Amino acid sequence: MFDTHELGRRPGALQRLTREVAAPADLGLDGVIGVPEGSPVELELRLESVMEGVLVTGTARASAEGECVRCLEPLRREVAADFQEMFSYPDTDDRGRHAASGDDAEDDEDVIPLEDGMFDLEPVLRDAVVLALPMQPVCREDCAGLCPECGVNLNDDPDHHHDAVDIRWAALQGLAGSLGTDEKDDMSGAEPGVDEKQEK
């Protein structure tokens, strides 16, 4: 929770904060990459008082851990996420006027109210960081991945290969092999005759 009491309610008032917080649970893409729970998240915040509330602009920096989607090796990525959110005074509407009791609930759906001058940044932080993470992280751009036949890491052995034939072509290969043998037999039987004709 962050306190806005020092900022006051004077439009145009500014406050800058630098803070380190512990990462909440599930800050990332499940099973792919994420910021480990409890690891440090550095926040640089700019709080600005406006007519309708407090505009919070900031950057979150953290270290995310996961595994390469190609070779499955562990990886670490530094992530920086920018965000901006309006936290409104509970007694004003989205145009900075005092809210009337008959306002439509739809108008308040996107408004996050301040609670006793405090705001919770975790939902905003979660959205920003998750969107900044790579959907398919790789250890390096030219990662060769794993051999689909045996699972060997192709980064360690770039010349690795298999001579195995695709099973879908095995029948045709057998047919081609038998045709090749018959043709050789026919050719070997024809050669003496050709030579004899040439000799005559």
Side-chain angles (χ1 to χ4, degrees), residues 41-170:
V41 179
E42 296 177 7
L43 299 175
E44 292 180 10
L45 303 176
R46 179 178 183 266
L47 282 58
E48 181 179 1
S49 179
V50 293
M51 287 295 293
E52 57 269 24
V54 176
L55 180 65
V56 178
T57 305
T59 301
R61 291 184 174 82
S63 182
E65 297 177 3
E67 63 180 28
C68 176
V69 295
R70 295 181 191 165
C71 68
L72 306 181
E73 288 294 319
L75 59 81
R76 180 184 290 264
R77 285 281 177 276
E78 297 303 315
V79 61
D82 296 325
F83 55 88
Q84 186 174 67
E85 189 65 57
M86 171 66 72
F87 295 90
S88 69
Y89 298 125
D91 57 348
T92 58
D93 65 11
D94 60 356
R95 291 171 294 281
R97 299 178 303 194
H98 285 282
S101 58
D103 284 353
D104 293 333
E106 292 179 5
D107 295 338
D108 298 331
E109 284 182 1
D110 297 329
V111 176
I112 304 175
L114 288 166
E115 298 178 8
D116 296 326
M118 309 282 285
F119 65 88
D120 183 7
L121 199 59
E122 183 178 324
V124 178
L125 180 65
R126 185 180 301 282
D127 290 346
V129 171
V130 170
L131 287 173
L133 292 170
M135 297 294 288
Q136 295 188 322
V138 290
C139 58
R140 61 177 198 248
E141 289 302 319
D142 61 345
C143 176
L146 302 176
C147 172
E149 296 289 330
C150 65
V152 166
N153 190 330
L154 298 177
N155 297 308
D156 299 334
D157 186 5
D159 296 326
H160 176 81
H161 68 282
H162 293 272
D163 294 327
V165 178
D166 190 327
I167 194 169
R168 295 170 294 183
W169 295 100

